[in-house]
Amino acid sequence: MPDFLEALSVAKRYGGIVALSDATLKARSGEVHALLGENGAGKSTFIQILAGAVRADSGSITLGGERFAVRNPEEAQRLGVAAVFQELSLIPDLTVAENIFFRREPLSPLRTARAGAMREATAELFARYRFPAIRPDQELRRLTLAERQVVEIAKALARDPRVLILDEATSALAPRETEWLLGLSRDLAAEGKLVIYISHRLGEVRRIADRVTVFRNGATVAAYDTASVDDDTIIADMLGRQMERLYPERRNTTTGRIALSVKGLSVENRLADLDLDLREGEVLGVAGLQGHGQRELFQALFGAARASGAIEVWGKPRTIRSPRDALSGRDGLALVPEDRRNHGLLLAKSVRENLTLSVVKRFTRFGLTDPKREAKLVDDMIAQLRIKAGSPEQAAGTLSGGNQQKVIFGKMLLTDARILLLYDPTRGIDVGTKGEIFTLMRDLAARGYAILFYSSDLAELVHVADRVAVLRYGRLAAILEGAENSEHQILRAAMIDTRAA
Amino acid sequence: MTMIASEPGEHAARPPSAPARWRGWLLDRASLLIPCLMLLALLAVYGSMREGVFTLDELNLDTAAAMTLMLAATGQTIVLLRGGIDLSIGGMISLGTVIAATQFGDGGATTLLWSVLIVLLGAVVGMLNGALITVLRLQPFLVTLATWSILAGTALIILPIDGGSLPSGWMAFGSGSWLGLASPVWLLILLLAFWFWFKRTRTGIAIKATGSNERSAFLSGVSPLAINLWTYGLSGVFAALAALYLTTQTGAGSPTIGKDYILPSVAAAVIGGISLFGGRGGLVGTIIGAYILTIIGNLVFVLSISSYWQPIASGVILLIAVLASSLAEKSSRRNLS
Ligand SMILES: Nc1ncnc2c1ncn2[C@@H]1O[C@H](COP(=O)(O)OP(=O)(O)OP(=O)(O)O)[C@@H](O)[C@H]1O
Ligand SMILES: [Mg+2]
């Protein structure tokens, strides 16, 4: 079968930064085609070119045998290319239905949008593709990140595209919705559409992709049939080197000192009467089914949710009513939040400013900032996390998605707080860096940090955490340790009520 | 890789309890309810001091007095929804009145011709604002500050001091009435009809969407240039209409009168619940805001205190409105998370 989409030697630079140098991708209709690469490899830039949001400097693209040169998103949509962007393209002040039909509203004879028709069509679309339940007349800003992601997918599908591009669409989704999207992608391919699928989760890619194309530093380095290649080869192509191992060796560095002690913590009806001790030098995992109180636990500890109960930090009672209370010096708590784009970064500010904004004290002497010390802190952090930025002065908003996440991670590390609350810290981060983050976590623990760690990927908890606290209906269902800390045991504790049994 | 799957049905949103739903409903509409309550309170005070406040006559009078501001604020509302601001309406209003006062003459035909030309001029000036803002990527505040200055200067060249003359038929506009309602009230009804139509058109939706999130709107296929041409073009048109209406009231051209409408047009919109960050609010709120500002003027007059109290009272009302709606906004956020 001939290739439906053919992009040859596409290049794009932003000033001095080369985002793409030689990107080539050939894909057929009726297949799910995965696009893989490290953070900053150019995946999002490439699909933004396909979707008309960015214009390439050079290269040629054909779609269905015809030259494909679009100047804006509207033209791309008209030619049947619809994209679900990593940064979503939804309007907070419109309803779900209005968002889905934005710019394509069905019109009355007076040329006004027909709200009823839009609502019905939305319901129909949701039913046809078995969407998770979302009310079409809700305003978008009322929805959770995962729900917005689902609406964005609906918006792309409503255009009945020939090519559907999904840029890390599963990174914000709960497992059940992830399953749904994987199934949906296969169904769409079976309908004869081309699905271009970007993800850092090789497991997903293996399950649905017919072929993969790998980018490295803005250039295509390999393309395979998924069935004929193993993970190690793909990872080596992505990183340009063999990866030794994903998970670091786990040494128990726990001391007897209790860093954070929680007694009777409750958050509305989401978290009930939770007792938990986090020790110095320990990585304590948190697991549970979606919505069983993990998020509330992190928010309460960081002062972002109203909670009752007693919290002791390094042996001293502490009231945490706002993030300001939480973040105070060496005996404070630092959090990697869930919705990073909205809560974690100042997109228009530079990487340097984002990293150091909350820690100006560390390089201030006699009331004056010392740029040399600041530069050193920043350079060290950029090197340590391998943040891919042209310079420390690049605006954070122009970094690739994964690199923005690294900046937030770095910002938290610089705060000097020794209790770290990591809520899914590896989401959207490439495998290579994931391994580095795990190593870093274990090193920090060895240096006396105490880390509370939630991950949507169970394997990470099993391999990185010393103990895993499993939540069920907002209560502590079990604490698993040693040989007990396995995916199987975690699932058991999360699903079966061990206390009642 | 293993992920924990959630239980079926467990994720479905729990329906909120009845009182919580009411609370949410109220908080959602707080930015419109608050100005309504303030207007009612002001009317109650005003009504207790003077006879005949709750009559059609009073409605006719107040609407006639508020109409210039309402027209100017309609344009401003559209611009604020887009997330911008238009200071140039000050210059456009002045220029509109002096052109009318110097060019209308006596004939019906010249009056009509020049009216149309003034409205066209408003559109062109506005679109120029929009083009400069988009193409040069300049702040709306700065661009419209500059055009305000240019337009105001032009008005002064045409007519250095208040004066000129307008046809007597033109000035009779305000005294016309039908079914007990004066012509300004009918104009207001037309204005609202326009609004309820416009906000549902693709352009209207796109203006609001662009104010809500510019990048998302662009990714969805909205052309930034087209949207700014529409937004500021409409603002210019409404400024021109405000100028024309103003001349029916004053019977003269004034090269400096426009500046009196710039900040009040923003204030009326903000009192009416429009966010300066764009995307939220509507004309109904603005109209209520314009009435509030007008009634404050009436109150100052009835109390026969120094007219300097009027801006002070307006400022206090503005603060209350902004404070109340930001509090409501905050607690509705808290409701969510
Ligand atoms: N507007 C911009 N200005 C400057 N540099 C940019 C801009 N947009 C992208 N880049 C750079 O282009 C490179 C490629 O970014 P891109 O977002 O395509 O990466 P990606 O492969 O999608 O990564 P991730 O997996 O982290 O999402 C990055 O180094 C990024 O900093
Ligand atoms: Mg990306």
Side-chain angles (χ1 to χ4, degrees), chain B residues 44-57:
Chain B
V45 176
Y46 186 39
S48 71
M49 292 186 192
R50 241 197 61 192
E51 292 285 292
V53 166
F54 302 100
T55 61
L56 278 186
D57 277 350

Side-chain angles (χ1 to χ4, degrees), chain B residues 105-116:
Chain B
D106 279 334
T110 51
T111 303
L112 187 67
L113 175 69
W114 279 99
S115 302
V116 171

Side-chain angles (χ1 to χ4, degrees), chain A residues 243-259:
Chain A
M243 193 168 76
E244 289 129 42
R245 50 188 304 181
L246 181 55
Y247 299 111
E249 218 170 312
R250 185 170 40 194
R251 283 170 299 124
N252 191 338
T253 54
T254 310
T255 70
R257 225 177 134 201
I258 291 180

Side-chain angles (χ1 to χ4, degrees), chain A residues 14 19 39-45 86 168 200 394 398-402:
Chain A
Y14 291 100
N39 295 132
K43 305 178 297 293
S44 297
T45 307
Q86 197 168 8
E168 289 186 40
H200 288 293
Q394 189 177 343
T398 65
L399 292 183
S400 80

Side-chain angles (χ1 to χ4, degrees), chain A residues 302-316:
Chain A
F302 195 62
R306 277 195 199 165
S308 61
I311 298 175
E312 275 184 21
V313 177
W314 299 112
K316 282 183 225 124

